[in-house]
Amino acid sequence: MVSLKQIYTVTGLVIGIFILGLVGFTSWYTVDESEQAVILTFGKAETTVTEPGLKFKMPWPIQSVEKLSKETFSLQFGYEEVDGEIVSENIEDTKMITGDENIVIADMVVQWKIVDPIKFLFYSDKPEDILYDATSASLRSIIGSSKIDEALTDGRAEIEANVRELLTNLIDRYDIGISILAVKLQDVELPNEEVRAAFTNVTDARETMNTKINEANKYHNQKIREAEGQKDAIISRAEGEKAARIEEARGGVAVFNKLYEEYEKNPEITRERLIIETLEQVLPNAEIYIMNDDGDTLKYFPIRSLENTVTNVEQSTTEGSDENE
C-alpha cells in the first residue's frame, strides 16, 4: 500500500512542477515590431513597453501583459468595406443638413493610431465607439456650417481640414490615448436622383459661366497687350522723331552759326548768296537772270541763251561728223 508520505511527496512534486512551468511560461513574453505592451501588476497598469524583443516580467498572476497594435487603424464612418467592396451602408448616420438647409449624404474615413495604451485600455470602456461618435459630431458640425456647393464641389479640402481640427480637439479632451492622423471625405451626395439632376444642371451652368468669364478675361488681356504694344511703338517712333528733330535743329544751328560768321566777314556777298540759294530752293525750275542797273542803262547778260546756242552748235557738229563717217 502507498503510504501517506508518498502521496504527499508526489503531490508536492506535481505542484512544484506546475509552479515551475507556470513561472517559466509566464515570466517571458515577446513584443513584435508592430506591437506595444502594457504590464499589469495585480490588474493595475504599471508600465508601457514599445521596444520589440524578448521581455521578462513577474509570473502570472502577479503580472500580466496586454498587447496593442502600433499600426494605423481606419475608421469607416457611414459604411463598412471589406476587401475593397462596400458590404453595408448606414444612411441614417451619413444624412445631414448643410448650412443653407440642404440635405446631403456624407461618409468619410478617419486614420488613427493608439499613442497611449494605458489610456486606451482603462480611461474609457469603448474608445472606438467614442471615436465614431466624435467623428459624427465633428462632421455634422462642419457640414452644418458649410454651403451645399462647398460640400459637393471645391470646398471638400477645407471641410476635411476643419473636421480634422475639430475631431482632434474632441479626442484630446476625451483623453482616450488616440491620435488622429488623417480625415478624408469619401462621398458627398444628394439624397435622390431628381435633386442630383437639378444640381448637375446648376453645376454645368456655373462651369459654362466660368468658361465664358475666362474667355472674356483672355480676350481682355489680349487686347490690353496689343494696346500696350501699339502704345510702345508710338512712343518709340515719337522718341525717334524727337531725336531726329533735335539733331536736325542742332545741324541747322551749326549751319546758321557758320553763315553768321561768313556774314560778319562779307555782309553783301553773303546776303546775295543767301538770296540766290533761297530762290533756287523756292523756284527750282525758274531761270534766274542777274542784272546790274546803275540808273542809265540796263545791262543784261543772257547766259541761258548763250548756253543753249553753244549746245546746239556742238550737237550739229557731232551729227555732221557722224554723216561723213
Side-chain angles (χ1 to χ4, degrees), residues 47-296:
T47 57
T48 300
V49 179
T50 58
E51 295 296 327
L54 183 65
K55 308 294 180 179
F56 173 79
K57 68 176 183 62
M58 299 295 291
W60 184 88
I62 300 174
Q63 286 186 332
S64 61
V65 178
E66 291 283 348
K67 296 181 182 180
L68 298 172
S69 176
K70 291 194 296 186
E71 297 180 350
T72 300
F73 297 92
S74 294
L75 170 65
Q76 299 168 350
F77 176 77
Y79 69 101
E80 183 179 356
E81 184 177 355
V82 178
D83 297 331
E85 295 184 1
I86 297 177
V87 296
S88 65
E89 292 182 336
N90 192 344
I91 302 298
E92 296 302 322
D93 284 353
T94 58
K95 186 181 294 185
M96 51 197 71
I97 299 177
T98 63
D100 50 1
E101 299 182 353
N102 289 285
I103 297 176
V104 294
I105 298 175
D107 49 29
M108 70 186 318
V109 173
V110 178
Q111 302 290 333
W112 62 280
K113 67 185 304 183
I114 302 170
V115 294
D116 193 328
I118 294 177
K119 293 181 179 180
F120 183 82
L121 289 173
F122 302 107
Y123 279 36
S124 62
D125 186 19
K126 296 179 179 179
E128 295 184 5
D129 291 346
I130 294 175
L131 177 60
Y132 189 93
D133 293 338
T135 300
S136 177
S138 301
L139 182 58
R140 289 181 182 279
S141 176
I142 300 303
I143 292 292
S145 60
S146 304
K147 294 182 178 180
I148 188 171
D149 291 344
E150 298 172 353
L152 294 175
T153 55
D154 56 355
R156 297 182 58 173
E158 184 178 358
I159 291 175
E160 290 175 354
N162 293 334
V163 170
R164 178 180 178 181
E165 181 180 1
L166 182 56
L167 179 59
T168 300
N169 292 334
L170 286 175
I171 294 300
D172 291 342
R173 288 171 54 191
Y174 295 150
D175 198 20
I176 56 177
I178 289 176
S179 175
I180 305 301
L181 302 180
V183 170
K184 183 174 179 57
L185 283 170
Q186 293 297 98
D187 292 315
V188 180
E189 299 177 347
L190 295 168
N192 54 60
E193 291 296 333
E194 293 181 359
V195 178
R196 292 193 193 104
F199 186 81
T200 300
N201 293 334
V202 173
T203 303
D204 293 342
R206 185 182 295 108
E207 292 297 327
T208 303
M209 178 190 70
N210 293 332
T211 301
K212 296 299 182 181
I213 291 175
N214 292 333
E215 291 177 353
N217 290 332
K218 180 179 179 181
Y219 179 78
H220 174 262
N221 295 331
Q222 179 182 355
K223 290 301 179 181
I224 287 179
R225 288 193 295 269
E226 291 177 356
E228 289 178 350
Q230 294 176 0
K231 179 193 72 174
D232 294 338
I234 293 172
I235 291 174
S236 178
R237 288 196 300 268
E239 290 178 350
E241 186 176 353
K242 172 186 173 183
R245 291 193 177 187
I246 290 174
E247 294 300 323
E248 182 180 355
R250 289 175 179 172
V253 170
V255 172
F256 179 82
N257 291 334
K258 292 294 183 180
L259 290 174
Y260 184 72
E261 291 176 1
E262 296 298 327
Y263 179 79
E264 287 183 336
K265 296 177 182 177
N266 298 296
E268 293 297 330
I269 295 176
T270 304
R271 186 183 298 112
E272 292 178 359
R273 176 187 170 190
L274 291 174
I275 293 172
I276 295 173
E277 290 179 353
T278 302
L279 289 174
E280 289 178 348
Q281 293 177 359
V282 175
L283 303 172
N285 297 323
E287 295 184 358
I288 301 173
Y289 301 95
I290 301 174
M291 295 177 290
N292 185 12
D293 186 7
D294 55 1
D296 294 334

